[in-house]
């Protein structure tokens, strides 16, 4: 995981944990430390590079690196570029892909996944679904129908945030490629190439500077399979219940959660209210367990002292 140091005067002058530090003596990779000035320098430098050069640099810089994608256009460009890099260095380990199956994707999206698996046969795809369920019917038995409508924060956490966190933990993910771009508008307009988010996860946005037209052009020129919904007016495709076609002149993500102030699903936001509630509940539970254990220790200590006095 990455760590952003607040102090400029750190003993880690390079901004990286030492390869001879205690963290590496156990055989584990050292934690990556980035000071704010170093992160600013990297973003300034990377901003002038082509996406394929950002990908190439990232592959040799960050351990435990994965791509997360719902197979939107930008993610597909990244996927294709990574396949080209793999041909440059076939002996290097490929970048695995994480796909969050919310169980509410369009059928066209699921069809695209199969096309991608056939086209890029060397890709190792990790599919994560909401915990404890495999179908939409099972999800609705467990969480109720139309959870996205009745409790959107709960839905985002259950269908997207928790599966993502589980994937990162299972796979020991330290850094991820995302498909976000500045031209997508809203909160993404000031997007950096590299971000360090809550928990230390490093997010790399290799196509941050590209426009929708550039992405479309690449897809066409390189004959990359894409979601058929894009031929029907969609530009950004998420769950079927919260995605609509985009009208002329609208931002490309204007069809997501139309009629609401929402612009992100929760994965790229700070901890949601529901996730914060769960976090605080878990912290309270752990504190209660600790208090109970301490009380048991005190009881045993008093019992021991009684035995000593009696003796």
């Amino acid at each position: 995981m990455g760590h952003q140091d607040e102090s400029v005067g750190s003993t880690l002058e390079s901004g990286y944990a030492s390869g001879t530090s205690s963290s590496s003596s156990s055989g584990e990779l050292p934690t990556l430390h980035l000071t704010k000035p170093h992160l600013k320098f990297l973003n300034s430098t990377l901003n002038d590079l082509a996406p394929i050069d950002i990908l190439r640099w990232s592959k040799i810089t960050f351990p435990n690196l994965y791509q997360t994608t719902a197979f939107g256009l930008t993610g597909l460009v990244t996927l294709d570029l990574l396949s080209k890099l793999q041909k440059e260095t076939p002996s290097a380990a490929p970048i695995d892909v994480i796909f969050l199956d919310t169980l509410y994707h369009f059928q066209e999206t699921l069809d695209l996944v199969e096309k991608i698996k056939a086209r890029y046969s060397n890709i190792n795809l990790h599919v994560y679904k909401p915990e404890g369920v495999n179908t939409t019917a099972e999800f609705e038995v467990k969480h109720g129908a139309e959870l996205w409508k009745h409790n959107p924060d709960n839905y985002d956490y259950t269908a997207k945030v928790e599966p993502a966190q589980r994937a990162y933990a299972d796979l020991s993910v330290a850094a991820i490629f995302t498909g976000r771009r500045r031209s997508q508008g809203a909160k993404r307009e000031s997007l950096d190439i590299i971000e360090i988010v809550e928990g230390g996860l490093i997010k790399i946005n290799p196509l941050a500077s590209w426009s929708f037209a550039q992405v479309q052009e690449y897809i066409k020129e390189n004959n990359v399979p894409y979601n058929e919904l894009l031929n029907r007016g969609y530009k950004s495709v998420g769950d079927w219940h919260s995605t609509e076609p985009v009208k002329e002149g609208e931002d490309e993500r204007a069809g997501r959660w139309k009629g609401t102030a929402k612009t992100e699903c929760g994965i790229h936001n700070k901890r949601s209210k529901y996730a914060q509630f769960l976090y605080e509940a878990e912290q309270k539970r752990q504190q209660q367990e600790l208090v109970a254990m301490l009380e048991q220790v005190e009881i045993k200590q008093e019992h021991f002292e009684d035995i000593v006095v009696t003796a």
Side-chain angles (χ1 to χ4, degrees), residues 168-214:
Y168 301 158
D170 289 350
L171 303 171
S172 299
V173 176
I176 59 171
F177 290 125
T178 85
R180 293 176 298 158
R181 292 179 287 104
R182 295 170 193 141
S183 65
Q184 290 170 326
K187 295 180 180 179
R188 303 185 177 190
E189 291 179 344
S190 58
L191 194 65
D192 283 326
I193 302 294
I194 302 176
E195 305 169 286
I196 301 179
V197 299
E198 188 176 20
L201 181 70
I202 296 171
K203 289 187 176 182
I204 306 158
N205 309 302
L207 276 79
S209 63
W210 273 27
S211 66
F212 184 77
Q214 286 176 293

Side-chain angles (χ1 to χ4, degrees), residues 148-248:
W148 68 86
K149 182 186 295 183
H150 304 306
N151 194 334
D153 283 340
N154 189 343
Y155 175 79
D156 282 350
Y157 180 83
T158 304
K160 302 174 185 181
V161 177
E162 188 282 327
Q165 292 176 342
R166 185 161 23 98
Y168 301 158
D170 289 350
L171 303 171
S172 299
V173 176
I176 59 171
F177 290 125
T178 85
R180 293 176 298 158
R181 292 179 287 104
R182 295 170 193 141
S183 65
Q184 290 170 326
K187 295 180 180 179
R188 303 185 177 190
E189 291 179 344
S190 58
L191 194 65
D192 283 326
I193 302 294
I194 302 176
E195 305 169 286
I196 301 179
V197 299
E198 188 176 20
L201 181 70
I202 296 171
K203 289 187 176 182
I204 306 158
N205 309 302
L207 276 79
S209 63
W210 273 27
S211 66
F212 184 77
Q214 286 176 293
V215 174
Q216 268 190 317
E217 183 180 0
Y218 181 97
I219 294 291
K220 185 177 180 180
E221 289 183 353
N222 292 272
N223 195 30
V224 178
Y226 63 90
N227 199 315
E228 292 179 4
L229 290 172
L230 273 75
N231 297 330
R232 305 178 210 163
Y234 293 82
K235 284 190 175 181
S236 176
V237 181
D239 292 335
W240 61 258
H241 53 70
S242 56
T243 307
E244 297 179 15
V246 175
K247 295 178 182 178
E248 188 70 31

Side-chain angles (χ1 to χ4, degrees), residues 44-247:
S44 176
T45 304
L46 293 171
N47 202 47
D48 295 326
L49 298 184
I52 195 166
D53 294 322
I54 296 173
L55 293 170
R56 187 183 287 111
W57 174 82
S58 298
K59 282 190 68 175
I60 63 174
T61 302
F62 298 109
N64 299 66
L65 176 61
Y66 287 75
Q67 179 187 2
T68 60
T69 183
F71 301 101
L73 284 187
T74 316
L76 293 170
V77 172
T78 300
L79 200 66
D80 192 73
L81 288 172
L82 286 171
S83 74
K84 291 178 179 178
L85 289 179
Q86 194 61 35
K87 292 176 182 177
E88 287 183 2
T89 53
S91 61
I95 300 297
D96 285 7
V97 177
I98 299 171
F99 171 58
L100 303 180
D101 184 355
T102 64
L103 304 175
Y104 290 92
H105 283 296
F106 287 93
Q107 184 58 49
E108 289 84 350
T109 302
L110 301 178
D111 292 342
L112 174 61
V113 174
E114 296 307 312
K115 292 177 185 177
I116 292 300
K117 287 161 67 175
R119 168 75 176 267
Y120 306 98
S121 57
N122 64 327
I123 287 177
N124 189 13
L125 179 64
H126 304 270
V127 180
Y128 276 78
K129 298 180 179 181
E131 190 171 26
V133 295
N134 284 302
T135 66
T136 305
E138 290 177 359
F139 183 92
E140 295 187 353
V141 166
K142 186 173 182 179
H143 300 286
E146 298 187 333
L147 180 63
W148 68 86
K149 182 186 295 183
H150 304 306
N151 194 334
D153 283 340
N154 189 343
Y155 175 79
D156 282 350
Y157 180 83
T158 304
K160 302 174 185 181
V161 177
E162 188 282 327
Q165 292 176 342
R166 185 161 23 98
Y168 301 158
D170 289 350
L171 303 171
S172 299
V173 176
I176 59 171
F177 290 125
T178 85
R180 293 176 298 158
R181 292 179 287 104
R182 295 170 193 141
S183 65
Q184 290 170 326
K187 295 180 180 179
R188 303 185 177 190
E189 291 179 344
S190 58
L191 194 65
D192 283 326
I193 302 294
I194 302 176
E195 305 169 286
I196 301 179
V197 299
E198 188 176 20
L201 181 70
I202 296 171
K203 289 187 176 182
I204 306 158
N205 309 302
L207 276 79
S209 63
W210 273 27
S211 66
F212 184 77
Q214 286 176 293
V215 174
Q216 268 190 317
E217 183 180 0
Y218 181 97
I219 294 291
K220 185 177 180 180
E221 289 183 353
N222 292 272
N223 195 30
V224 178
Y226 63 90
N227 199 315
E228 292 179 4
L229 290 172
L230 273 75
N231 297 330
R232 305 178 210 163
Y234 293 82
K235 284 190 175 181
S236 176
V237 181
D239 292 335
W240 61 258
H241 53 70
S242 56
T243 307
E244 297 179 15
V246 175
K247 295 178 182 178

